[in-house]
């Protein structure tokens, strides 16, 4: 949808392994329907591709995009296996066209403004970042079973948020919890987690995750420094507030889940990608950011399992 709506891009090809899905999407948004992603990547006239297929397909498709010399916007994570990511690292580094990772939260206008104001020095040198991320309800057990676990599937977004502010994280301490889902516990995964990260400059970052939240999708960010605090709260469906006998300052629910809460972010992410492909100088999360977030997620897994802080070296 973002591609079709963009004034700076044209949708040439829609590819889905399920032919009917490809056909319906092409009928709605335009483009030629294909079922073979390699054919789509190599099709005449294609300058860039968005890879939003399941995680196990990313490395092969990214590789093909780099080889074909087309830009690639690839969903997170790059892969669940850091060895497969590392095997692609050199080629990604020398890719002729931009390789961007789908860390859409960097493009959320609220978070981006907070980031700009921290960078501008409004609160002084950043001392503490608090990232809260709770899903409204857990994904089905079948999804969780192949997701790579909470740290690599869910926390990875928050780990990238942490690195957006504190690029050089040096240690990860994570505690995983099994609080409410027998299904998730049965899969050996956690349904909630709390992480503490340390930055090379002595910064602290706390990430709070849960796979459920009775009040909806909970996405908050707080930055603290010697000169003050900057905070982004949840976004409600309506700006109207009501005062009555039963409740004061009552408002509509929070935007339901990621497609609603981050709709502007997805559109802005796509625009940044298109501008990067056109050769403009834009900031975007790249392959190295995807790799770093996966390294931190893996470190969190070790930390939670072994009950100790894990040192990481993101400079290597
Ligand atoms: N950034 C975000 O906000 C966000 C949100 C959700 C999912 N994701 C990521 O996006 C990716 C896709 O997740 P999903 O839950 O949408 O997956 P999904 O299983 O719903 O698959 C997405 C689409 O890919 C198609 N597909 C499957 N195999 C394919 C192949 N080999 N070639 C072409 N198409 C194929 C499916 O038919 C489906 O239409 C995952 O890597 C996930 O981690 C990112």
């Amino acid at each position: 949808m973002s591609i079709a709506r963009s004034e700076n891009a044209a949708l040439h090809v829609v590819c889905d392994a399920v032919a009917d899905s490809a056909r319906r999407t092409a009928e709605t948004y335009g483009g030629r329907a294909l079922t073979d992603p390699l054919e789509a990547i190599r099709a005449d006239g294609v300058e860039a591709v968005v890879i939003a297929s399941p995680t196990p397909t990313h490395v092969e498709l990214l590789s093909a995009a780099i080889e074909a010399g087309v830009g690639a916007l690839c969903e997170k994570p790059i892969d669940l296996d850091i060895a497969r990511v590392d095997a692609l690292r050199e080629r990604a580094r020398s890719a002729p066209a931009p390789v961007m990772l789908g860390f859409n939260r960097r493009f959320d206008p609220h978070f981006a403004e907070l980031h700009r104001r921290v960078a501008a020095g409004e609160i002084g040198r950043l001392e503490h970042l608090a990232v809260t991320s709770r899903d409204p309800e857990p994904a089905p057990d079948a999804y969780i079973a192949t997701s790579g676990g909470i740290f690599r599937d869910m926390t990875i977004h928050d780990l990238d948020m942490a690195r957006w502010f504190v690029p050089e994280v040096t240690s990860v301490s994570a505690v995983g919890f099994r609080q409410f889902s027998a299904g998730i516990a049965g899969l050996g995964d956690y349904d909630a987690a709390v992480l503490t990260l340390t930055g090379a400059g002595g910064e602290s970052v706390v990430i709070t995750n849960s796979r459920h939240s009775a009040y909806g999708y909970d996405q908050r960010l707080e930055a603290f420094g010697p000169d003050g605090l900057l905070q982004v709260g949840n976004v409600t469906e309506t700006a109207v507030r009501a005062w009555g006998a039963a409740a004061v300052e009552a408002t509509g629910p929070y935007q339901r889940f990621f497609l609603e809460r981050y709709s502007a972010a997805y559109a802005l992410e796509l625009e940044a990608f298109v501008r990067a492909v056109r050769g403009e100088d834009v900031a975007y999360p790249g392959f190295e950011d995807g790799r770093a977030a996966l390294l931190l997620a893996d470190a969190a897994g070790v930390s939670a399992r072994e009950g100790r802080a894990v040192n990481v070296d993101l400079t290597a």
Side-chain angles (χ1 to χ4, degrees):
M1 186 167 73
S2 294
I3 303 172
R5 282 191 180 163
S6 170
E7 288 179 2
N8 301 311
L11 187 57
H12 267 277
V13 175
V14 173
C15 176
D16 197 303
V18 178
D20 240 22
S21 301
R23 185 184 48 75
R24 270 186 280 113
T25 309
E27 276 170 13
T28 310
Y29 298 109
R32 190 155 61 92
L34 291 177
T35 53
D36 177 0
L38 297 178
E39 190 184 341
I41 288 167
R42 293 166 190 156
D44 280 348
V46 168
E47 284 176 75
V49 293
V50 175
I51 301 170
S53 45
T55 302
T57 65
H58 293 177
V59 165
E60 187 198 352
L61 300 185
L62 253 184
S63 244
I66 292 168
E67 204 173 291
V70 301
L73 166 52
C74 179
E75 266 310 337
K76 46 54 65 177
I78 302 173
D79 196 82
L80 295 179
D81 181 353
I82 193 73
R84 279 167 55 78
V85 174
D86 282 345
L88 188 58
R89 196 178 182 195
E90 269 320 304
R91 274 191 291 153
R93 201 173 264 161
S94 52
V99 174
M100 177 166 160
L101 254 287
F103 288 125
N104 52 290
R105 292 182 195 176
R106 292 194 188 204
F107 297 93
D108 174 69
H110 310 286
F111 295 159
E113 183 184 341
L114 187 148
H115 187 269
R116 258 192 313 275
R117 289 168 67 167
V118 169
E122 188 171 326
I123 58 168
R125 199 174 147 277
L126 179 71
E127 292 177 356
H128 180 74
L129 188 75
V131 185
T132 303
S133 178
R134 296 187 175 98
D135 284 353
E137 66 261 340
D141 287 352
Y143 174 90
I144 301 281
T146 59
S147 69
I150 191 168
F151 299 121
R152 287 184 289 186
D153 178 53
M154 181 177 175
T155 319
I156 199 158
H157 275 294
D158 310 305
L159 291 166
D160 180 66
M161 288 295 279
R163 284 205 58 256
W164 191 26
F165 290 84
V166 182
E168 206 184 316
V169 172
T170 56
S171 92
V172 180
S173 243
V175 184
F177 298 90
R178 297 183 174 116
Q179 295 177 327
F180 67 91
S181 169
I184 292 176
L187 292 165
D189 197 1
Y190 308 110
D191 53 34
V194 177
L195 290 80
T196 305
L197 315 183
T198 307
E203 307 92 334
S204 58
V205 181
V206 169
I207 296 172
T208 306
N209 286 152
S210 177
R211 287 277 194 189
H212 77 173
S213 161
Y215 48 89
Y217 196 34
D218 188 9
Q219 300 288 290
R220 289 174 282 141
L221 184 65
E222 189 172 285
F224 172 83
D227 299 333
L229 177 81
L230 291 165
Q231 192 179 62
V232 174
N234 282 310
V235 182
T236 49
E237 279 180 3
T238 172
V240 175
R241 273 163 176 64
W243 279 253
V248 294
E249 290 192 64
T251 185
Y254 294 145
Q255 291 180 324
R256 216 198 73 73
F257 206 3
F258 58 90
L259 289 179
E260 295 85 2
R261 172 62 183 83
Y262 291 120
S263 61
Y266 290 123
L268 291 165
E269 174 186 50
L270 195 273
E271 278 312 310
F273 176 54
V274 171
R275 286 173 52 203
V277 170
R278 295 258 179 271
E280 288 180 42
D281 186 19
V282 285
Y284 61 85
F287 187 92
E288 286 297 313
D289 297 300
R291 179 181 178 273
L294 185 63
L295 272 180
L296 295 179
D298 284 349
V302 172
S303 172
R305 273 193 306 280
E306 299 183 4
R308 63 181 176 93
V310 174
N311 292 332
V312 286
D313 181 4
L314 297 181
T315 61

